[in-house]
Amino acid sequence: MCGIVGYIGYEQAGPFLLDGLQTLEYRGYDSAGVCLNDGSELIVKKAKGKLKVLKDMTHDGEDLRGTVGIGHTRWATHGEPSDVNAHPHLSESGRFAVVHNGIIENYQLLKDYLTSKGVEFRSKTDTEVIAQLLEYYYKGSLVDAVIKALEKLDGSYALGVISQENPDEIIAVRKESPLIIGLGENENFLASDVTAILARTRTIYRLENNEIAILGRESVRIINTDKEEIHKEQETVDWDVNAAKKGGYEHFMFKEIMEQPKAITDTIAPRIKNGRVVLDEVSLSAEELKNFNKINILACGSAYHVGVVAKYIFEKMLRIPVEVDLASEFRYRDPIVNDKTLTVVISQSGETADTKEAMKEAQRRGSHVISIVNVVGSAIAVESDDVIYTWAGPEIAVATTKAYSTQLAVIYLMALYFGEMLGTIVPDEYKALVKELEELPDKINAVLENKERIQYLASKLFNSKDVFFIGRNIDYALSLEGSLKLKEISYIHSEAYAAGELKHGTISLIEEGTPVIALATHEELIGKIVSNIEEVKTRGAQVMCIACDNHKELEGVGEMIFIPKVCDMLLPSLAVIPLQLFAYYVASLKGCDIDQPRNLAKSVTVE
Ligand code: F6R
């Protein structure tokens, strides 16, 4: 949610700021802006709409003057997307500029107070109060003014601040929203995410809550709110700089779909040693594991859908009851969680606000938390008791694909690892499952090779108004993801239903020509799902059916997509590929903005 960049050095800041914002555009794209200190005053350029508008307005930043500046790409919370509500925000006199990611919860109170003191506000944002507070408290030291302002703020923030009087510094501070500092040669950077600075430096500081960074051209100091120096370890980022580029593909989403075999290999290979799954990251002993009487899975969106798949897998393989909760619901439902509950938190970004807060709630109640996270060093990764990273690399498309698939891969690893510890999987089955898991990336490649068939089916259905996804057991869990993928990027209304539940109401929506995508991969329930398919066909549905290639007799129940047969546990990893491709091709045929669907942003750092 919102991307922040900053530059201070001896070069013109404009081109870096615009390039940096480009890589952060996935975080928000309803407006963008920059502010530079040109040596005498602060110059702001901002525009509603995609970053392209600002890029065109400033000739990719070449028109901007100044060697210190901050930039922002926005996902609106307070105040509609508009030029005036775009960041950076200036104080009344124009001497202080702020970019902000997060939400200032008490902004109205602060605004009322400042208004009573005669301060005039221009925007409807919560952020503008920060700029106004800086001016209100400024007595010659920018750092002091920032510290004073922070004392008044409730909520979450990552901030970049510059001022007219201080052309040689940027102040950066964060609380509950991510911010990193990039360390260069005679130049330093500020960004919400490392992808923005990878082309310039790989050496970073990851700011912790309430740490204040003072960036100069040749040095960076970090202090706390009592102005005591903090000595921080530098980190080296080893992400491939090309990983965050499109690499010849038209969309990041397609590139990321195609990267899935590699991402899964990277995630599983280091954790399978001599035919055994080894999760060194998990600190639990067999004794401790046996002490849990429930597994509690917390996540949002697609990560939640991974959790639903995990429920079927864990319950079957570990024989422990599993509850899967939407993090936003868990937080406020007084959950029954204690030290006998093992909590698994799933998040690509590691910074989703609801997931993070739900995790803390579980920890407060005594639960041990294992997180499954993609972004190294993110809040959830750092604050959980154990973290198992998905090695998917940067995921830029807003609609997740490779993160979803690598999260599933970690679930398989956990099922095998815990199953062995608990003795709930017999050795022969264990051996066979590990072997199949190692072969999974090749099988995914085989499904990807069939993409033209899915493109053809997408061309038949892309004009639909409503699409239904049905399945049973693990196929139902997967249908949730198929439906979300389609609706979020193609804007076609879709619903996922447990196939057996359809006749309890929803089947009334099926009429002549309604597309129904049926998942029929789960071996034990093929007969049942075929009956459900017949029920919808009788009522006029056009059926597209995904099944394993050992069930060729299903040919004829609808337009078929066959995937290689694998054991039930691994089926979702293959069956999700046609669903992702289907959503992608439909959105492409409809001319949608695939990587940046309307109203969305990649990291949801607000409640
Ligand atoms: C959908 C999608 C979202 C995320 C959700 C959680 O394609 O990407 O539903 O899965 O916002 O995000 P993370 O995994 O970053 O916590």
Side-chain angles (χ1 to χ4, degrees):
M1 270 321 59
C2 301
I4 290 178
V5 283
Y7 173 87
I8 180 161
Y10 293 98
E11 291 179 13
Q12 294 300 319
F16 169 79
L17 293 177
L18 273 290
D19 280 353
L21 289 178
Q22 185 80 67
T23 61
L24 295 180
E25 206 184 4
Y26 71 89
R27 300 180 68 88
Y29 34 85
D30 60 45
S31 54
V34 288
C35 177
L36 289 87
N37 189 326
D38 73 356
S40 57
E41 57 177 342
L42 298 183
I43 307 292
V44 174
K45 296 279 176 214
K46 47 190 193 174
K48 179 183 167 183
K50 291 279 189 86
L51 182 67
K52 175 135 193 357
V53 184
L54 184 71
K55 287 185 100 178
D56 290 348
M57 185 195 265
T58 61
H59 293 100
D60 292 332
E62 297 288 345
D63 291 356
L64 301 164
R65 288 287 142 258
T67 56
V68 51
I70 50 179
H72 187 269
T73 176
R74 180 171 188 244
W75 186 86
T77 57
H78 297 62
E80 74 286 356
S82 67
D83 289 357
V84 69
N85 289 334
H87 299 213
H89 287 284
L90 291 179
S91 63
E92 196 175 357
S93 70
R95 291 184 300 137
F96 300 88
V98 176
V99 285
H100 168 217
N101 170 24
I103 287 187
I104 304 304
E105 284 161 7
N106 60 339
Y107 86 100
Q108 193 59 51
L109 211 74
L110 296 168
K111 190 169 178 173
D112 292 347
Y113 173 75
L114 290 165
T115 306
S116 76
K117 298 283 171 196
V119 177
E120 281 188 26
F121 282 75
R122 297 184 193 91
S123 77
K124 296 209 178 89
T125 65
D126 52 340
T127 304
E128 192 182 345
V129 295
I130 306 170
Q132 305 290 17
L133 280 175
L134 291 174
E135 180 156 318
Y136 187 72
Y137 288 125
Y138 186 72
K139 301 267 181 301
S141 156
L142 186 56
V143 168
D144 287 349
V146 169
I147 292 173
K148 198 93 181 112
L150 293 183
E151 283 169 14
K152 305 289 170 205
L153 302 181
D154 288 341
S156 60
Y157 46 79
L159 301 176
V161 174
I162 57 173
S163 87
Q164 186 176 298
E165 278 89 345
N166 302 70
D168 301 319
E169 65 187 23
I170 303 180
I171 310 283
V173 58
R174 62 154 285 207
K175 188 179 147 216
E176 307 298 349
S177 289
L179 203 55
I180 58 116
I181 308 298
L183 305 168
E185 287 261 315
N186 297 326
E187 56 183 9
N188 292 303
F189 311 89
L190 163 72
S192 299
D193 169 349
V194 287
T195 52
I197 56 156
L198 273 186
R200 303 288 282 259
T201 181
R202 288 171 174 280
T203 312
I204 64 160
Y205 287 133
R206 240 175 250 285
L207 284 190
E208 302 292 329
N209 280 346
N210 300 317
E211 286 179 348
I212 302 171
I214 305 163
L215 287 76
R217 290 183 172 75
E218 280 150 31
S219 66
V220 173
R221 281 174 58 216
I222 307 207
I223 58 170
N224 62 19
T225 46
D226 292 324
K227 289 173 71 176
E228 292 159 345
E229 296 283 332
I230 296 176
H231 180 72
K232 275 187 88 70
E233 290 299 316
Q234 295 180 359
E235 259 182 65
T236 307
V237 182
D238 58 8
W239 272 6
D240 175 5
V241 72
N242 293 315
K245 297 193 176 142
K246 275 192 203 155
Y249 289 98
E250 198 181 342
H251 297 104
F252 277 111
M253 183 177 176
F254 194 72
K255 174 177 177 252
E256 289 161 5
I257 289 174
M258 300 307 282
E259 282 172 351
Q260 292 179 104
K262 179 178 181 310
I264 291 175
T265 303
D266 291 349
T267 301
I268 60 174
R271 289 155 173 150
I272 300 180
K273 293 171 189 150
N274 303 321
R276 286 190 56 233
V277 174
V278 182
L279 292 181
D280 290 329
E281 307 90 326
V282 176
S283 62
L284 297 169
S285 66
E287 274 322 296
E288 286 167 321
L289 191 62
K290 283 178 187 149
N291 189 39
F292 296 122
N293 58 22
K294 187 172 79 172
I295 298 176
N296 178 30
I297 303 180
L298 305 174
C300 299
S302 293
Y304 167 79
H305 297 158
V306 172
V308 182
V309 175
K311 175 180 168 69
Y312 288 98
I313 293 177
F314 286 166
E315 287 192 340
K316 182 148 194 227
M317 293 180 58
L318 307 179
R319 306 310 298 155
I320 301 178
V322 178
E323 265 183 41
V324 194
D325 264 285
L326 291 164
S328 53
E329 287 297 311
F330 177 88
R331 291 177 65 178
Y332 301 112
R333 77 166 167 83
D334 196 7
I336 302 168
V337 166
N338 52 41
D339 60 354
K340 291 207 173 311
T341 315
L342 172 64
T343 297
V344 177
V345 168
I346 311 174
S347 175
Q348 186 284 129
S349 61
E351 55 176 88
T352 301
D354 280 320
T355 310
K356 191 171 64 181
E357 291 309 316
M359 173 179 85
K360 288 186 188 163
E361 186 59 42
Q363 284 174 322
R364 268 194 291 276
R365 289 167 190 252
S367 181
H368 183 95
V369 174
I370 300 178
S371 66
I372 302 173
V373 174
N374 194 42
V375 177
V376 175
S378 54
I380 291 173
V382 170
E383 290 171 39
S384 54
D385 300 294
D386 300 321
V387 52
I388 306 177
Y389 283 114
T390 50
W391 298 116
E395 191 179 59
I396 308 295
V398 164
T400 183
T401 52
K402 63 176 179 170
Y404 175 91
S405 285
T406 51
Q407 287 161 357
L408 278 182
V410 171
I411 294 298
Y412 307 149
L413 292 169
M414 289 172 79
L416 287 162
Y417 183 68
F418 291 153
E420 192 187 31
M421 278 168 103
L422 294 170
T424 50
I425 307 179
V426 292
D428 282 353
E429 189 193 2
Y430 179 89
K431 215 168 133 192
L433 287 173
V434 172
K435 185 168 175 295
E436 282 211 61
L437 180 55
E438 286 180 302
E439 291 165 358
L440 188 63
D442 287 343
K443 296 205 167 137
I444 293 176
N445 265 322
V447 182
L448 287 167
E449 273 165 25
N450 198 18
K451 55 185 176 309
E452 278 73 26
R453 166 89 182 135
I454 296 148
Q455 190 170 20
Y456 161 73
L457 295 175
S459 73
K460 290 180 77 171
L461 297 178
F462 81 98
N463 272 325
S464 309
K465 261 185 40 239
D466 304 287
V467 176
F468 291 83
F469 290 77
I470 59 170
R472 284 171 173 265
N473 194 282
I474 220 156
D475 281 335
Y476 161 61
L478 191 59
S479 70
L480 297 168
E481 178 60 6
S483 168
L484 179 63
K485 279 290 86 82
L486 183 69
K487 71 184 106 179
E488 72 178 322
I489 63 167
S490 75
Y491 315 142
I492 293 177
H493 167 251
S494 83
E495 290 196 36
Y497 253 81
E501 184 65 14
L502 210 58
K503 55 183 157 304
H504 296 287
T506 308
I507 202 162
S508 65
L509 294 169
I510 305 291
E511 52 188 41
E512 201 53 43
T514 306
V516 173
I517 299 181
L519 292 153
T521 69
H522 187 63
E523 190 69 44
E524 284 167 32
L525 295 169
I526 302 278
K528 302 280 177 207
I529 183 81
V530 168
S531 304
N532 299 131
I533 292 174
E534 290 309 326
E535 287 160 10
V536 292
K537 271 169 65 178
T538 311
R539 285 150 183 95
Q542 305 182 61
V543 172
M544 181 174 119
C545 177
I546 300 174
C548 293
D549 56 11
N550 62 329
H551 281 287
K552 284 281 163 63
E553 77 281 3
L554 292 185
E555 197 87 65
V557 302
E559 292 279 11
M560 297 304 298
I561 297 168
F562 287 109
I563 58 171
K565 170 72 189 137
V566 281
C567 63
D568 277 354
M569 176 177 89
L570 302 179
L571 279 169
S573 290
L574 298 187
V576 76
I577 305 292
L579 300 178
Q580 296 168 342
L581 286 167
F582 179 75
Y584 175 81
Y585 286 126
V586 166
S588 166
L589 287 161
K590 290 189 71 190
C592 298
D593 191 344
I594 293 180
D595 284 337
Q596 294 173 343
R598 70 183 177 208
N599 305 340
L600 294 176
K602 183 104 187 131
S603 304
V604 187
T605 54
V606 295
E607 250 194 79

